[in-house]
Amino acid sequence: MKGSFAKYAQESSTEVTFYYIDSHTETFSLPINAQEFQAQLQQLLKQPWITFHLIDQTICICTEKVMKIEIIPPINQMQGEGVFANSQRITALQRNAGRY
């Protein structure tokens, strides 16, 4: 997406990817901005189940089975203990590439 539509889409929706213990992943697009999602995130993670109503079905996710959550756009406003600002991801390929 390019131009003002891409900016609008990014500001008015949040993409959330769940990585499960069994190595499966699922990605959802939520009709809220990242700040609204951030406001709910801590409470959501305390719930045993999270429910997503889609057009054609309802999906319930057991938070106990989730290993990692990725959120786009980033929630840079999150601060406090256990939150590391200005972090960078270094994959195995990037680490090994620098040694040769």
Side-chain angles (χ1 to χ4, degrees):
M1 289 189 292
K2 294 183 180 181
S4 61
F5 179 73
K7 184 177 179 184
Y8 172 77
Q10 185 179 34
E11 290 176 357
S12 64
S13 67
T14 301
E15 185 177 295
V16 182
T17 303
F18 294 94
Y19 293 81
Y20 301 103
I21 292 172
D22 66 2
S23 75
H24 285 90
T25 62
E26 281 188 294
T27 302
F28 298 90
S29 178
L30 308 178
I32 60 174
N33 65 38
Q35 289 75 26
E36 291 172 303
F37 185 73
Q38 174 191 347
Q40 296 183 40
L41 184 58
Q42 292 300 319
Q43 281 303 111
L44 286 174
L45 295 177
K46 292 177 184 176
Q47 301 299 317
W49 292 89
I50 300 173
T51 303
F52 294 93
H53 293 295
L54 309 179
I55 291 172
D56 60 342
Q57 61 183 316
T58 295
I59 297 176
C60 299
I61 296 174
C62 177
T63 56
E64 192 174 281
K65 304 292 183 184
V66 174
M67 293 296 295
K68 179 173 83 169
I69 300 172
E70 289 183 359
I71 305 162
I72 300 173
I75 302 175
N76 296 321
Q77 297 80 12
M78 288 183 77
Q79 298 177 359
E81 189 174 328
V83 178
F84 301 92
N86 301 317
S87 301
Q88 294 182 7
R89 183 183 309 214
I90 301 174
T91 64
L93 291 175
Q94 289 173 325
R95 281 196 303 264
N96 291 333
R99 294 182 183 172
Y100 294 106

